Amino acid sequence: MTTAGDIMHRGAQWIPAHETLDRAAQLMRELNVGALPIGDQDDRLCGILTDRDIVVGCVAMGRDPAKVTAGEMAQGTPRWVAADADVSDVLHEMQEHQIRRLPVIDNKRLVGMISEADLAQHLTEDQIATWAGSVYARTTTR
């Protein structure tokens, strides 16, 4: 059985909820990533911040990224998967919620992230096609 831990990108890092978006952008540049999990004061997942969130939700709205925190940008219920979850559970979670990045948690700690690139390296073409069709499908309810 292939698990989330087998396909994830190790070494993911939190951005604390109190950190500003300019610092988040700097960390994304340093890590060469487009998304960071947001952690609250108890190191619990409270959201995911993407580079697009910073641009569209802050800069394009005329807000100052040095004054807006990652926690302010956290919306909805954060999705995650356990490190020992089967890859079919990973795909289901991402498809069901139309998400492209998924934090991997083990013993209540962030241990990795699964992105499209990780899926492309570990899944069959049919699995990727099904996943992409679900995640990128336009719906009227979202």
Side-chain angles (χ1 to χ4, degrees):
M1 165 177 98
T2 302
T3 67
D6 296 331
I7 67 171
M8 72 182 182
H9 175 82
R10 297 185 184 284
Q13 290 187 24
W14 297 103
I15 185 79
H18 64 81
E19 279 290 353
T20 58
L21 299 186
D22 61 339
R23 177 62 192 128
Q26 293 165 359
L27 186 56
M28 287 179 187
R29 182 189 65 224
E30 290 167 16
L31 298 173
N32 193 30
V33 298
L36 294 168
I38 304 168
D40 68 12
Q41 66 275 6
D42 297 319
D43 284 337
R44 291 180 305 203
L45 180 67
C46 63
I48 300 247
L49 179 67
T50 67
D51 47 7
R52 187 176 194 282
D53 293 333
I54 295 170
V55 172
V56 174
C58 179
V59 176
M61 300 298 286
R63 297 174 74 192
D64 182 353
K67 294 182 179 172
V68 178
T69 67
E72 291 175 66
M73 298 299 290
Q75 298 178 4
T77 302
R79 309 309 305 180
W80 57 273
V81 67
D84 62 355
D86 186 79
V87 72
S88 63
D89 296 328
V90 171
L91 293 174
H92 176 76
E93 186 71 16
M94 294 175 88
Q95 290 169 307
E96 178 74 18
H97 300 283
Q98 291 187 305
I99 54 178
R100 297 174 185 97
R101 299 169 182 100
L102 189 62
V104 180
I105 307 293
D106 189 29
N107 292 320
K108 299 183 182 180
R109 297 285 178 228
L110 177 70
V111 293
M113 289 281 283
I114 297 175
S115 69
E116 295 167 280
D118 300 312
L119 297 178
Q121 290 177 350
H122 295 93
L123 301 180
T124 67
E125 287 183 21
D126 288 341
Q127 286 173 308
I128 293 168
T130 300
W131 175 84
S134 296
V135 170
Y136 288 103
R138 293 194 184 266
T139 65
T140 57
T141 59
R142 292 186 189 203

